[in-house]
Amino acid sequence: MQLYGSYTSPYVRHCRIALLETGTSFELIETDNKASAEGSPAQKVPYMEDGNVRLYDSASILKYIRERAGQAWLPDVKQFDLFCLANTVLDASVNVFQLERAGIDPQSNDYLKRQSARISTTVEALEAWAQEKPLQWNDATLRVACFVAWAQYRQRVDFAACPALLTWLETASTRDEFKSTAPPPA
Ligand SMILES: N[C@@H](CCC(=O)N[C@@H](CS)C(=O)NCC(=O)O)C(=O)O
């Protein structure tokens, strides 16, 4: 299986962790924006190829990896909703990060202000979720851990008021597959 992506992308990291956890043999092909524009209609990473199967989003890739290994993929609707919420905050944070890199002030228009507000309210909701339960390892909580780790790595969110999320990250960081897929030093 070929996974196209980068060593810094949290979406790619999540797929790499699932591949390692399921013992699936794969090759990570480093892919920049120019290559992803040619390799995927979404012009994003990750995308993957396995024989004649080509998938263009980390969610479908994760479902494919887990089901190929005989596992169910997020059958619980509340866990699936947590995955979606973590995805929403990740998408918004990556979007604001890319715009800032392009020199656009995130406070410069109402839509970007809403993106920033969306990040804050979603982080609060994730923290409330994490306060309710210890970390139960599945693709929803793994998505949350990938988000928190990436947001720290790119200094997007101050998690000082989120002790439960930090505890989840600490727990995730004890796992070999999570440790070995950490992004390179910024
Ligand atoms: N919904 C996609 C999001 C993937 C995504 O946003 N990837 C980023 C890298 S972290 C990307 O390729 N961005 C390129 C761009 O926005 O032009 C997924 O889950 O795979």
Side-chain angles (χ1 to χ4, degrees):
M1 182 182 301
Q2 281 84 37
L3 180 70
Y4 295 83
S6 71
Y7 287 97
T8 51
S9 164
Y11 306 93
V12 176
R13 182 182 191 182
H14 191 165
C15 294
R16 288 163 66 210
I17 293 170
L19 286 161
L20 293 170
E21 284 182 345
T22 52
T24 310
S25 111
F26 73 102
E27 183 187 1
L28 178 73
I29 298 172
E30 277 199 85
T31 305
D32 59 15
N33 283 343
K34 186 171 175 293
S36 70
E38 284 159 16
S40 165
Q43 306 200 17
K44 290 185 177 187
V45 293
Y47 55 96
M48 65 132 265
E49 211 167 71
D50 186 26
N52 58 6
V53 180
R54 281 181 75 89
L55 299 172
Y56 302 113
D57 193 280
S58 63
S60 51
I61 295 171
L62 287 166
K63 180 171 162 65
Y64 180 76
I65 295 167
R66 297 296 188 194
E67 290 181 353
R68 190 178 180 274
Q71 299 170 9
W73 193 69
L74 292 178
D76 181 294
V77 72
K78 288 298 289 177
Q79 291 291 330
F80 183 58
D81 194 50
L82 179 65
F83 175 87
C84 293
L85 211 51
N87 234 10
T88 295
V89 71
L90 195 46
D91 288 345
S93 305
V94 168
N95 179 237
V96 170
F97 175 63
Q98 298 286 6
L99 290 170
E100 275 183 32
R101 275 189 150 178
I104 294 167
D105 173 4
Q107 293 304 316
S108 61
N109 69 58
D110 284 348
Y111 179 71
L112 287 177
K113 283 185 195 162
R114 202 156 81 245
Q115 283 285 66
S116 298
R118 177 175 293 120
I119 294 167
S120 304
T121 49
T122 311
V123 167
E124 280 169 27
L126 296 179
E127 170 64 13
W129 185 293
Q131 280 185 7
E132 268 180 40
K133 311 187 183 73
L135 180 66
Q136 190 196 3
W137 198 249
N138 58 39
D139 278 313
T141 53
L142 179 46
R143 188 60 136 208
V144 175
C146 286
F147 160 66
V148 174
W150 179 84
Q152 282 193 329
Y153 174 66
R154 293 299 194 194
Q155 302 180 328
R156 306 314 305 167
V157 176
D158 178 2
F159 288 101
C162 303
L165 285 178
L166 292 176
T167 303
W168 270 20
L169 180 61
E170 215 175 280
T171 309
S173 304
T174 61
R175 298 179 77 103
D176 287 346
E177 297 84 1
F178 197 83
K179 254 190 289 191
S180 68
T181 54

